[in-house]
Amino acid sequence: MTSQGPFQVALRRTTSVILLFVGITQQAFAWGVDGHHMINRLAGMNLPNDVPGFLKTPEGLDALEYYAPEPDHWRGRGEPQLANESSPDHFIALERASLLGELPRNRYDYVRALASLQTSHPDLPLSVERVGTQPYQTVEMYERLKSAMRDYRALVALKRDTKPLEAEIVFLAGILGHYVGDGSMPLHTSIYPNGWTGPNPNGYTAEHHIHALFESAFVGANVGIDDVASLVQAEKPKVLGDVFEDYLSYLRHSNTLVEETYRLEKVGAFTGKGMPEGKKFAEERLAAGAIELRDIIYTAWVRSADPLPAREAPPTR
Ligand SMILES: [Zn+2]
């Protein structure tokens, strides 16, 4: 062993400070890194065998896992404009969004609908930054993935090199996985993202710790990928019909579990080693994320073979 000079010692100290900082900032992010990694890897592992093989190689799965937490890095302090634009993509406060009735299918129609709703509810925080854009981001990522997969099919037919497209597809699927993963965490679908507010007859925590406690500290310390794997395998892969509608149902189901998340926190199910019901709850939520992601990726692959819709006729003057 060589002795360490002042430079190495300084470097080691700096590295520890950086790692400590990364650890702290990740507390505030969606599912901790462990949860996001699990969701992406399990989705990839459980894709049916008729998807292109590169998605399921060890390198493909490693990359899928690697990209899982990436969108959280886009909403840090270092890139303020990107953070401002992209932060609403990680959540949707369904209790508020549902005031719109049926959600518009397109992002900008939704933004306009919220603005118009604000005029009739001046007392509620209804800006797009406060209500969130989760399902729009997810479906737009699905469509990016489907587009790349369509290009991949074309290159294969032409017997051209597909390597750059393979990298693009794995990247897009990995980023998609982040948002789908966020959607399985109940507090990402709610007006109570991190502490109860307003009337509180059941005495749920109003402190700002439940979010990171559940998704980062508890999952990181108590839930392993093998615990979740069997739940994902138990659900057969399927091709989704209307991806937007399916994804909204997935978010609405997640939203029905908001109060249960608070109840479990209250009884100590996520504290330290937690309780079996807390562990089961976390495993089911992680599995739900992996299942939805697997099915969306699979649907993108199957639907990427569809012929493009016919061009609309130009408007007559
Ligand atoms: Zn997120």
Side-chain angles (χ1 to χ4, degrees):
M1 243 181 86
T2 54
S3 65
Q4 295 198 321
F7 173 74
Q8 280 87 347
V9 171
L11 180 68
R12 207 161 42 111
R13 286 208 184 120
T14 312
T15 311
S16 333
V17 169
I18 290 169
L19 288 176
L20 184 68
F21 175 73
V22 168
I24 289 166
T25 52
Q26 278 166 354
Q27 295 279 305
F29 291 154
W31 281 122
V33 169
D34 297 324
H36 275 301
H37 281 170
M38 265 186 253
I39 288 171
N40 273 27
R41 178 171 287 275
L42 286 171
M45 284 168 63
N46 287 282
L47 281 166
N49 288 330
D50 55 318
V51 301
F54 66 83
L55 276 165
K56 297 181 66 169
T57 59
E59 297 76 25
L61 293 175
D62 284 350
L64 202 60
E65 176 181 298
Y66 175 84
Y67 293 127
E70 197 77 350
D72 278 336
H73 302 176
W74 302 338
R75 57 187 185 120
R77 288 193 299 265
E79 287 72 37
Q81 287 178 251
L82 178 61
N84 176 274
E85 183 272 343
S86 68
S87 292
D89 290 339
H90 298 257
F91 67 92
I92 183 161
L94 279 178
E95 300 90 341
R96 298 262 150 75
S98 60
L99 296 174
L100 293 171
E102 198 180 327
L103 290 188
R105 295 186 74 88
N106 295 317
R107 182 187 287 255
Y108 295 130
D109 291 335
Y110 168 73
V111 171
R112 273 187 289 273
L114 279 180
S116 139
L117 184 69
Q118 182 76 82
T119 57
S120 48
H121 295 82
D123 49 321
L124 290 177
L126 291 172
S127 67
V128 70
E129 290 93 337
R130 295 291 293 276
V131 184
T133 51
Q134 236 279 315
Y136 299 97
Q137 179 64 8
T138 299
V139 170
E140 290 157 18
M141 284 307 308
Y142 157 74
E143 292 196 338
R144 285 186 181 99
L145 179 64
K146 178 156 67 75
S147 164
M149 286 172 159
R150 184 184 305 116
D151 295 345
Y152 173 84
R153 288 176 184 274
L155 283 197
V156 169
L158 292 167
K159 299 197 166 45
R160 298 253 298 273
D161 178 22
T162 56
K163 277 278 174 288
L165 253 178
E166 291 175 21
E168 182 190 350
I169 287 169
V170 173
F171 173 74
L172 292 172
I175 301 303
L176 167 69
H178 178 89
Y179 298 105
V180 177
D182 278 354
S184 71
M185 159 44 163
L187 305 190
H188 277 257
T189 68
S190 173
I191 54 171
Y192 307 110
N194 194 21
W196 202 266
T197 51
N200 191 359
N202 296 313
Y204 298 131
T205 182
E207 286 175 41
H208 306 307
H209 72 265
I210 180 173
H211 197 111
L213 172 72
F214 169 52
E215 70 174 21
S216 297
F218 180 71
V219 168
N222 298 293
V223 181
I225 192 164
D226 294 340
D227 303 332
V228 185
S230 57
L231 297 176
V232 182
Q233 283 153 12
E235 283 257 354
K236 273 195 148 107
K238 56 187 175 298
V239 178
L240 305 175
D242 183 325
V243 172
F244 183 65
E245 286 302 327
D246 184 275
Y247 192 72
L248 286 179
S249 308
Y250 162 81
L251 290 177
R252 287 190 192 109
H253 176 64
S254 200
N255 183 257
T256 65
L257 300 169
V258 172
E259 196 165 344
E260 179 66 355
T261 313
Y262 276 85
R263 188 191 68 76
L264 287 167
E265 187 278 341
K266 189 181 171 187
V267 299
F270 305 136
T271 306
K273 292 235 161 288
M275 295 174 182
E277 62 172 338
K279 188 164 182 296
K280 182 163 176 283
F281 183 77
E283 288 165 4
E284 282 172 0
R285 287 291 79 219
L286 290 162
I291 289 165
E292 182 73 5
L293 174 59
R294 175 198 62 191
D295 291 348
I296 293 181
I297 295 173
Y298 186 46
T299 303
W301 173 245
V302 171
R303 293 274 81 89
S304 70
D306 292 349
L308 289 175
R311 244 182 240 283
E312 279 176 30
T316 47
R317 290 170 198 269

PDB file of all heavy atoms in Angstrom, residues 238-264:
ATOM      1  N   LYS A 238     -48.920  -7.491 -20.900  1.00  0.00           N
ATOM      2  CA  LYS A 238     -50.052  -7.244 -21.803  1.00  0.00           C
ATOM      3  C   LYS A 238     -49.815  -6.010 -22.664  1.00  0.00           C
ATOM      4  O   LYS A 238     -49.074  -5.095 -22.279  1.00  0.00           O
ATOM      5  CB  LYS A 238     -51.362  -7.118 -21.028  1.00  0.00           C
ATOM      6  CG  LYS A 238     -51.377  -6.072 -19.957  1.00  0.00           C
ATOM      7  CD  LYS A 238     -52.663  -6.169 -19.139  1.00  0.00           C
ATOM      8  CE  LYS A 238     -52.671  -5.195 -17.969  1.00  0.00           C
ATOM      9  NZ  LYS A 238     -51.605  -5.412 -16.988  1.00  0.00           N
ATOM     10  N   VAL A 239     -50.479  -6.013 -23.815  1.00  0.00           N
ATOM     11  CA  VAL A 239     -50.460  -4.831 -24.677  1.00  0.00           C
ATOM     12  C   VAL A 239     -51.616  -3.942 -24.233  1.00  0.00           C
ATOM     13  O   VAL A 239     -52.760  -4.405 -24.157  1.00  0.00           O
ATOM     14  CB  VAL A 239     -50.624  -5.233 -26.157  1.00  0.00           C
ATOM     15  CG1 VAL A 239     -50.652  -3.987 -27.050  1.00  0.00           C
ATOM     16  CG2 VAL A 239     -49.499  -6.169 -26.581  1.00  0.00           C
ATOM     17  N   LEU A 240     -51.308  -2.703 -23.913  1.00  0.00           N
ATOM     18  CA  LEU A 240     -52.342  -1.801 -23.412  1.00  0.00           C
ATOM     19  C   LEU A 240     -53.168  -1.262 -24.579  1.00  0.00           C
ATOM     20  O   LEU A 240     -52.664  -1.115 -25.689  1.00  0.00           O
ATOM     21  CB  LEU A 240     -51.694  -0.649 -22.646  1.00  0.00           C
ATOM     22  CG  LEU A 240     -50.759  -1.067 -21.499  1.00  0.00           C
ATOM     23  CD1 LEU A 240     -50.083   0.150 -20.879  1.00  0.00           C
ATOM     24  CD2 LEU A 240     -51.521  -1.845 -20.428  1.00  0.00           C
ATOM     25  N   GLY A 241     -54.422  -0.959 -24.304  1.00  0.00           N
ATOM     26  CA  GLY A 241     -55.262  -0.362 -25.338  1.00  0.00           C
ATOM     27  C   GLY A 241     -54.898   1.111 -25.498  1.00  0.00           C
ATOM     28  O   GLY A 241     -53.947   1.467 -26.194  1.00  0.00           O
ATOM     29  N   ASP A 242     -55.592   1.967 -24.794  1.00  0.00           N
ATOM     30  CA  ASP A 242     -55.310   3.395 -24.831  1.00  0.00           C
ATOM     31  C   ASP A 242     -54.312   3.700 -23.704  1.00  0.00           C
ATOM     32  O   ASP A 242     -54.672   3.664 -22.529  1.00  0.00           O
ATOM     33  CB  ASP A 242     -56.632   4.141 -24.614  1.00  0.00           C
ATOM     34  CG  ASP A 242     -56.473   5.645 -24.716  1.00  0.00           C
ATOM     35  OD1 ASP A 242     -55.413   6.164 -24.292  1.00  0.00           O
ATOM     36  OD2 ASP A 242     -57.398   6.299 -25.215  1.00  0.00           O
ATOM     37  N   VAL A 243     -53.076   3.999 -24.077  1.00  0.00           N
ATOM     38  CA  VAL A 243     -52.027   4.140 -23.061  1.00  0.00           C
ATOM     39  C   VAL A 243     -52.328   5.303 -22.109  1.00  0.00           C
ATOM     40  O   VAL A 243     -52.143   5.183 -20.894  1.00  0.00           O
ATOM     41  CB  VAL A 243     -50.632   4.294 -23.724  1.00  0.00           C
ATOM     42  CG1 VAL A 243     -49.564   4.628 -22.691  1.00  0.00           C
ATOM     43  CG2 VAL A 243     -50.274   3.002 -24.455  1.00  0.00           C
ATOM     44  N   PHE A 244     -52.816   6.413 -22.644  1.00  0.00           N
ATOM     45  CA  PHE A 244     -53.128   7.572 -21.788  1.00  0.00           C
ATOM     46  C   PHE A 244     -54.193   7.204 -20.759  1.00  0.00           C
ATOM     47  O   PHE A 244     -54.046   7.459 -19.562  1.00  0.00           O
ATOM     48  CB  PHE A 244     -53.585   8.750 -22.652  1.00  0.00           C
ATOM     49  CG  PHE A 244     -53.862  10.019 -21.891  1.00  0.00           C
ATOM     50  CD1 PHE A 244     -52.849  10.691 -21.231  1.00  0.00           C
ATOM     51  CD2 PHE A 244     -55.144  10.563 -21.855  1.00  0.00           C
ATOM     52  CE1 PHE A 244     -53.099  11.867 -20.535  1.00  0.00           C
ATOM     53  CE2 PHE A 244     -55.402  11.747 -21.166  1.00  0.00           C
ATOM     54  CZ  PHE A 244     -54.382  12.400 -20.504  1.00  0.00           C
ATOM     55  N   GLU A 245     -55.267   6.563 -21.223  1.00  0.00           N
ATOM     56  CA  GLU A 245     -56.353   6.185 -20.306  1.00  0.00           C
ATOM     57  C   GLU A 245     -55.879   5.145 -19.293  1.00  0.00           C
ATOM     58  O   GLU A 245     -56.198   5.209 -18.111  1.00  0.00           O
ATOM     59  CB  GLU A 245     -57.554   5.636 -21.089  1.00  0.00           C
ATOM     60  CG  GLU A 245     -58.359   6.706 -21.813  1.00  0.00           C
ATOM     61  CD  GLU A 245     -58.906   7.782 -20.870  1.00  0.00           C
ATOM     62  OE1 GLU A 245     -59.228   7.465 -19.708  1.00  0.00           O
ATOM     63  OE2 GLU A 245     -58.982   8.954 -21.278  1.00  0.00           O
ATOM     64  N   ASP A 246     -55.117   4.173 -19.775  1.00  0.00           N
ATOM     65  CA  ASP A 246     -54.605   3.145 -18.872  1.00  0.00           C
ATOM     66  C   ASP A 246     -53.716   3.781 -17.798  1.00  0.00           C
ATOM     67  O   ASP A 246     -53.805   3.445 -16.614  1.00  0.00           O
ATOM     68  CB  ASP A 246     -53.806   2.103 -19.655  1.00  0.00           C
ATOM     69  CG  ASP A 246     -53.349   0.966 -18.752  1.00  0.00           C
ATOM     70  OD1 ASP A 246     -52.290   1.093 -18.096  1.00  0.00           O
ATOM     71  OD2 ASP A 246     -54.068  -0.034 -18.670  1.00  0.00           O
ATOM     72  N   TYR A 247     -52.887   4.720 -18.245  1.00  0.00           N
ATOM     73  CA  TYR A 247     -51.965   5.340 -17.296  1.00  0.00           C
ATOM     74  C   TYR A 247     -52.725   6.198 -16.273  1.00  0.00           C
ATOM     75  O   TYR A 247     -52.366   6.234 -15.089  1.00  0.00           O
ATOM     76  CB  TYR A 247     -50.911   6.172 -18.045  1.00  0.00           C
ATOM     77  CG  TYR A 247     -49.789   6.573 -17.128  1.00  0.00           C
ATOM     78  CD1 TYR A 247     -48.868   5.623 -16.683  1.00  0.00           C
ATOM     79  CD2 TYR A 247     -49.677   7.872 -16.656  1.00  0.00           C
ATOM     80  CE1 TYR A 247     -47.856   5.975 -15.802  1.00  0.00           C
ATOM     81  CE2 TYR A 247     -48.671   8.227 -15.780  1.00  0.00           C
ATOM     82  CZ  TYR A 247     -47.760   7.279 -15.352  1.00  0.00           C
ATOM     83  OH  TYR A 247     -46.769   7.617 -14.471  1.00  0.00           O
ATOM     84  N   LEU A 248     -53.790   6.854 -16.721  1.00  0.00           N
ATOM     85  CA  LEU A 248     -54.598   7.640 -15.770  1.00  0.00           C
ATOM     86  C   LEU A 248     -55.236   6.720 -14.722  1.00  0.00           C
ATOM     87  O   LEU A 248     -55.288   7.071 -13.536  1.00  0.00           O
ATOM     88  CB  LEU A 248     -55.682   8.441 -16.506  1.00  0.00           C
ATOM     89  CG  LEU A 248     -55.225   9.672 -17.287  1.00  0.00           C
ATOM     90  CD1 LEU A 248     -56.423  10.317 -17.975  1.00  0.00           C
ATOM     91  CD2 LEU A 248     -54.528  10.690 -16.385  1.00  0.00           C
ATOM     92  N   SER A 249     -55.700   5.549 -15.158  1.00  0.00           N
ATOM     93  CA  SER A 249     -56.278   4.607 -14.176  1.00  0.00           C
ATOM     94  C   SER A 249     -55.223   4.171 -13.171  1.00  0.00           C
ATOM     95  O   SER A 249     -55.502   4.035 -11.968  1.00  0.00           O
ATOM     96  CB  SER A 249     -56.811   3.343 -14.850  1.00  0.00           C
ATOM     97  OG  SER A 249     -57.655   3.670 -15.881  1.00  0.00           O
ATOM     98  N   TYR A 250     -54.035   3.941 -13.672  1.00  0.00           N
ATOM     99  CA  TYR A 250     -52.899   3.552 -12.807  1.00  0.00           C
ATOM    100  C   TYR A 250     -52.628   4.655 -11.773  1.00  0.00           C
ATOM    101  O   TYR A 250     -52.472   4.379 -10.575  1.00  0.00           O
ATOM    102  CB  TYR A 250     -51.708   3.308 -13.735  1.00  0.00           C
ATOM    103  CG  TYR A 250     -50.328   3.296 -13.146  1.00  0.00           C
ATOM    104  CD1 TYR A 250     -49.828   2.160 -12.497  1.00  0.00           C
ATOM    105  CD2 TYR A 250     -49.470   4.391 -13.320  1.00  0.00           C
ATOM    106  CE1 TYR A 250     -48.525   2.140 -12.024  1.00  0.00           C
ATOM    107  CE2 TYR A 250     -48.169   4.370 -12.856  1.00  0.00           C
ATOM    108  CZ  TYR A 250     -47.698   3.243 -12.199  1.00  0.00           C
ATOM    109  OH  TYR A 250     -46.411   3.222 -11.738  1.00  0.00           O
ATOM    110  N   LEU A 251     -52.629   5.911 -12.214  1.00  0.00           N
ATOM    111  CA  LEU A 251     -52.400   7.033 -11.290  1.00  0.00           C
ATOM    112  C   LEU A 251     -53.551   7.160 -10.293  1.00  0.00           C
ATOM    113  O   LEU A 251     -53.330   7.412  -9.106  1.00  0.00           O
ATOM    114  CB  LEU A 251     -52.259   8.348 -12.059  1.00  0.00           C
ATOM    115  CG  LEU A 251     -50.988   8.546 -12.892  1.00  0.00           C
ATOM    116  CD1 LEU A 251     -51.072   9.875 -13.647  1.00  0.00           C
ATOM    117  CD2 LEU A 251     -49.744   8.518 -12.029  1.00  0.00           C
ATOM    118  N   ARG A 252     -54.773   6.961 -10.793  1.00  0.00           N
ATOM    119  CA  ARG A 252     -55.933   7.091  -9.884  1.00  0.00           C
ATOM    120  C   ARG A 252     -55.894   6.007  -8.813  1.00  0.00           C
ATOM    121  O   ARG A 252     -56.215   6.250  -7.656  1.00  0.00           O
ATOM    122  CB  ARG A 252     -57.242   7.022 -10.675  1.00  0.00           C
ATOM    123  CG  ARG A 252     -57.490   8.280 -11.486  1.00  0.00           C
ATOM    124  CD  ARG A 252     -58.902   8.310 -12.069  1.00  0.00           C
ATOM    125  NE  ARG A 252     -58.991   9.378 -13.058  1.00  0.00           N
ATOM    126  CZ  ARG A 252     -59.080   9.188 -14.376  1.00  0.00           C
ATOM    127  NH1 ARG A 252     -59.157   7.950 -14.869  1.00  0.00           N
ATOM    128  NH2 ARG A 252     -59.119  10.207 -15.200  1.00  0.00           N
ATOM    129  N   HIS A 253     -55.492   4.807  -9.214  1.00  0.00           N
ATOM    130  CA  HIS A 253     -55.376   3.741  -8.216  1.00  0.00           C
ATOM    131  C   HIS A 253     -54.316   4.109  -7.170  1.00  0.00           C
ATOM    132  O   HIS A 253     -54.527   3.949  -5.962  1.00  0.00           O
ATOM    133  CB  HIS A 253     -55.029   2.403  -8.876  1.00  0.00           C
ATOM    134  CG  HIS A 253     -54.815   1.314  -7.868  1.00  0.00           C
ATOM    135  ND1 HIS A 253     -55.818   0.868  -7.037  1.00  0.00           N
ATOM    136  CD2 HIS A 253     -53.711   0.631  -7.513  1.00  0.00           C
ATOM    137  CE1 HIS A 253     -55.340  -0.056  -6.226  1.00  0.00           C
ATOM    138  NE2 HIS A 253     -54.058  -0.214  -6.484  1.00  0.00           N
ATOM    139  N   SER A 254     -53.198   4.615  -7.643  1.00  0.00           N
ATOM    140  CA  SER A 254     -52.130   5.037  -6.737  1.00  0.00           C
ATOM    141  C   SER A 254     -52.665   6.100  -5.765  1.00  0.00           C
ATOM    142  O   SER A 254     -52.383   6.060  -4.558  1.00  0.00           O
ATOM    143  CB  SER A 254     -51.007   5.611  -7.611  1.00  0.00           C
ATOM    144  OG  SER A 254     -49.812   5.635  -6.943  1.00  0.00           O
ATOM    145  N   ASN A 255     -53.478   6.991  -6.286  1.00  0.00           N
ATOM    146  CA  ASN A 255     -54.045   8.061  -5.464  1.00  0.00           C
ATOM    147  C   ASN A 255     -54.992   7.528  -4.383  1.00  0.00           C
ATOM    148  O   ASN A 255     -55.122   8.127  -3.307  1.00  0.00           O
ATOM    149  CB  ASN A 255     -54.765   9.079  -6.365  1.00  0.00           C
ATOM    150  CG  ASN A 255     -55.318  10.248  -5.586  1.00  0.00           C
ATOM    151  OD1 ASN A 255     -56.513  10.322  -5.333  1.00  0.00           O
ATOM    152  ND2 ASN A 255     -54.449  11.160  -5.170  1.00  0.00           N
ATOM    153  N   THR A 256     -55.631   6.377  -4.636  1.00  0.00           N
ATOM    154  CA  THR A 256     -56.516   5.804  -3.605  1.00  0.00           C
ATOM    155  C   THR A 256     -55.705   5.320  -2.392  1.00  0.00           C
ATOM    156  O   THR A 256     -56.287   5.012  -1.352  1.00  0.00           O
ATOM    157  CB  THR A 256     -57.349   4.607  -4.121  1.00  0.00           C
ATOM    158  OG1 THR A 256     -56.456   3.531  -4.455  1.00  0.00           O
ATOM    159  CG2 THR A 256     -58.199   4.962  -5.331  1.00  0.00           C
ATOM    160  N   LEU A 257     -54.385   5.220  -2.547  1.00  0.00           N
ATOM    161  CA  LEU A 257     -53.549   4.687  -1.465  1.00  0.00           C
ATOM    162  C   LEU A 257     -52.823   5.775  -0.669  1.00  0.00           C
ATOM    163  O   LEU A 257     -51.983   5.482   0.176  1.00  0.00           O
ATOM    164  CB  LEU A 257     -52.530   3.695  -2.050  1.00  0.00           C
ATOM    165  CG  LEU A 257     -53.180   2.505  -2.768  1.00  0.00           C
ATOM    166  CD1 LEU A 257     -52.150   1.715  -3.562  1.00  0.00           C
ATOM    167  CD2 LEU A 257     -53.894   1.599  -1.766  1.00  0.00           C
ATOM    168  N   VAL A 258     -53.176   7.028  -0.938  1.00  0.00           N
ATOM    169  CA  VAL A 258     -52.516   8.142  -0.244  1.00  0.00           C
ATOM    170  C   VAL A 258     -52.772   8.050   1.261  1.00  0.00           C
ATOM    171  O   VAL A 258     -51.855   8.085   2.079  1.00  0.00           O
ATOM    172  CB  VAL A 258     -53.009   9.502  -0.797  1.00  0.00           C
ATOM    173  CG1 VAL A 258     -52.488  10.647   0.054  1.00  0.00           C
ATOM    174  CG2 VAL A 258     -52.575   9.664  -2.248  1.00  0.00           C
ATOM    175  N   GLU A 259     -54.044   7.895   1.619  1.00  0.00           N
ATOM    176  CA  GLU A 259     -54.369   7.890   3.042  1.00  0.00           C
ATOM    177  C   GLU A 259     -53.746   6.665   3.729  1.00  0.00           C
ATOM    178  O   GLU A 259     -53.279   6.758   4.870  1.00  0.00           O
ATOM    179  CB  GLU A 259     -55.891   7.928   3.244  1.00  0.00           C
ATOM    180  CG  GLU A 259     -56.198   8.304   4.665  1.00  0.00           C
ATOM    181  CD  GLU A 259     -57.636   8.730   4.915  1.00  0.00           C
ATOM    182  OE1 GLU A 259     -58.373   9.034   3.966  1.00  0.00           O
ATOM    183  OE2 GLU A 259     -58.002   8.750   6.103  1.00  0.00           O
ATOM    184  N   GLU A 260     -53.726   5.541   3.031  1.00  0.00           N
ATOM    185  CA  GLU A 260     -53.102   4.338   3.592  1.00  0.00           C
ATOM    186  C   GLU A 260     -51.604   4.577   3.864  1.00  0.00           C
ATOM    187  O   GLU A 260     -51.066   4.113   4.876  1.00  0.00           O
ATOM    188  CB  GLU A 260     -53.293   3.159   2.609  1.00  0.00           C
ATOM    189  CG  GLU A 260     -52.673   1.843   3.032  1.00  0.00           C
ATOM    190  CD  GLU A 260     -53.297   1.206   4.272  1.00  0.00           C
ATOM    191  OE1 GLU A 260     -54.176   1.833   4.901  1.00  0.00           O
ATOM    192  OE2 GLU A 260     -52.878   0.084   4.627  1.00  0.00           O
ATOM    193  N   THR A 261     -50.959   5.329   2.985  1.00  0.00           N
ATOM    194  CA  THR A 261     -49.540   5.651   3.198  1.00  0.00           C
ATOM    195  C   THR A 261     -49.379   6.423   4.510  1.00  0.00           C
ATOM    196  O   THR A 261     -48.481   6.137   5.310  1.00  0.00           O
ATOM    197  CB  THR A 261     -48.994   6.491   2.019  1.00  0.00           C
ATOM    198  OG1 THR A 261     -49.392   5.894   0.786  1.00  0.00           O
ATOM    199  CG2 THR A 261     -47.482   6.595   2.069  1.00  0.00           C
ATOM    200  N   TYR A 262     -50.287   7.392   4.729  1.00  0.00           N
ATOM    201  CA  TYR A 262     -50.223   8.189   5.960  1.00  0.00           C
ATOM    202  C   TYR A 262     -50.563   7.351   7.197  1.00  0.00           C
ATOM    203  O   TYR A 262     -49.962   7.507   8.257  1.00  0.00           O
ATOM    204  CB  TYR A 262     -51.153   9.413   5.852  1.00  0.00           C
ATOM    205  CG  TYR A 262     -50.475  10.559   5.140  1.00  0.00           C
ATOM    206  CD1 TYR A 262     -50.482  10.621   3.749  1.00  0.00           C
ATOM    207  CD2 TYR A 262     -49.798  11.544   5.841  1.00  0.00           C
ATOM    208  CE1 TYR A 262     -49.844  11.668   3.078  1.00  0.00           C
ATOM    209  CE2 TYR A 262     -49.148  12.591   5.189  1.00  0.00           C
ATOM    210  CZ  TYR A 262     -49.178  12.641   3.809  1.00  0.00           C
ATOM    211  OH  TYR A 262     -48.532  13.651   3.153  1.00  0.00           O
ATOM    212  N   ARG A 263     -51.545   6.448   7.017  1.00  0.00           N
ATOM    213  CA  ARG A 263     -51.923   5.599   8.162  1.00  0.00           C
ATOM    214  C   ARG A 263     -50.739   4.714   8.572  1.00  0.00           C
ATOM    215  O   ARG A 263     -50.420   4.570   9.748  1.00  0.00           O
ATOM    216  CB  ARG A 263     -53.129   4.734   7.790  1.00  0.00           C
ATOM    217  CG  ARG A 263     -53.708   3.967   8.981  1.00  0.00           C
ATOM    218  CD  ARG A 263     -54.724   2.911   8.565  1.00  0.00           C
ATOM    219  NE  ARG A 263     -54.148   1.795   7.829  1.00  0.00           N
ATOM    220  CZ  ARG A 263     -53.455   0.805   8.355  1.00  0.00           C
ATOM    221  NH1 ARG A 263     -53.222   0.772   9.658  1.00  0.00           N
ATOM    222  NH2 ARG A 263     -52.969  -0.165   7.607  1.00  0.00           N
ATOM    223  N   LEU A 264     -50.085   4.137   7.566  1.00  0.00           N
ATOM    224  CA  LEU A 264     -48.948   3.251   7.857  1.00  0.00           C
ATOM    225  C   LEU A 264     -47.808   4.016   8.534  1.00  0.00           C
ATOM    226  O   LEU A 264     -47.175   3.521   9.465  1.00  0.00           O
ATOM    227  CB  LEU A 264     -48.463   2.583   6.560  1.00  0.00           C
ATOM    228  CG  LEU A 264     -49.396   1.489   6.017  1.00  0.00           C
ATOM    229  CD1 LEU A 264     -49.020   1.107   4.582  1.00  0.00           C
ATOM    230  CD2 LEU A 264     -49.359   0.241   6.916  1.00  0.00           C
TER     231      LEU A 264
END
